[in-house]
Amino acid sequence: MSIKDNFTADEWFKVMTGPGRAGAAVVAASPSGLTGLVAEAQAIGQAVRESVSAQTRTPLLEAMAADLLGTAPDPQAMPHQDRARSMDEAREQSLEGVRQAAWVVAAKTSPEDAAAYRAMLLNVAERTAGAAKEGGFLGIGGEQVNDKERAVIEELRALLGSGTPAPQDPALLSPSPDGSGNSN
């Protein structure tokens, strides 16, 4: 039985599109010009390829790699998605898609697979943000990652979290005797 068998077709679609949605959230937060858009799209693809082909990949990432190398799905068989009417709506739809994908992965795979998937999503977002300069004029000035992109990355970090609430151990919640928070 393949790890992919744990998912319905709709859930697997969400898993497979999650990394692209993480990158799309960054793109929608601060759209670049045409050359910037191309660079950001290439960064998304490269980050996904590197994640699913790394020697340390998990069974989930191996299954994703196999699907990426396989036959492209029939567009008619793919779930219908509403088109965003604004960049803010596109960012929100992308973040919701990432949330759903991360949730289904956490619910149906091992903690190692879920952690690797979350790491891939954050890597895609960070690489997308750093792919093109924002602002400036004719390539002069601007900044590699602007405040809007940083905000989306932080929103993704908060959204992805650890997937499960941390245990509420009283010993971990109380400060050390010297008040530093360090127990040693």
Side-chain angles (χ1 to χ4, degrees):
M1 183 169 132
S2 163
I3 194 167
K4 186 177 169 182
D5 295 334
N6 295 340
F7 300 91
T8 66
D10 185 53
E11 290 169 339
W12 189 248
F13 178 79
K14 288 177 183 178
V15 171
M16 291 297 292
T17 59
R21 287 181 174 271
V26 173
V27 171
S30 182
S32 302
L34 182 58
T35 56
L37 183 61
V38 169
E40 290 167 340
Q42 288 174 333
I44 292 169
Q46 185 176 7
V48 171
R49 275 191 307 280
E50 287 173 6
S51 293
V52 300
S53 63
Q55 282 188 309
T56 57
R57 72 182 177 263
T58 65
L60 174 70
L61 298 183
E62 286 179 10
M64 291 177 71
D67 261 25
L68 289 171
L69 293 173
T71 305
D74 177 13
Q76 301 300 326
M78 294 169 53
H80 171 72
Q81 299 178 58
D82 293 331
R83 292 185 64 101
R85 293 181 293 272
S86 69
M87 291 311 255
D88 285 337
E89 193 174 308
R91 183 181 59 77
E92 288 302 319
Q93 284 179 357
S94 294
L95 290 171
E96 178 60 18
V98 169
R99 187 194 62 74
Q100 289 177 10
W103 183 87
V104 76
V105 166
K108 295 196 171 199
T109 65
S110 70
E112 294 79 19
D113 275 325
Y117 188 74
R118 287 190 309 268
M120 177 175 58
L121 295 172
L122 285 172
N123 183 38
V124 167
E126 290 168 350
R127 298 271 298 272
T128 303
K133 280 189 173 183
E134 307 295 328
F137 180 71
L138 296 176
I140 301 169
E143 56 187 325
Q144 205 64 41
V145 180
N146 68 25
D147 290 340
K148 291 178 181 179
E149 291 170 327
R150 278 190 283 278
V152 168
I153 292 170
E154 288 309 310
E155 195 170 351
L156 279 168
R157 282 186 205 287
L159 179 140
L160 295 171
S162 66
T164 57
Q168 297 301 313
D169 182 352
L172 296 174
L173 296 176
S174 60
S176 64
D178 68 353
S180 69
N182 294 327
S183 59
N184 49 11

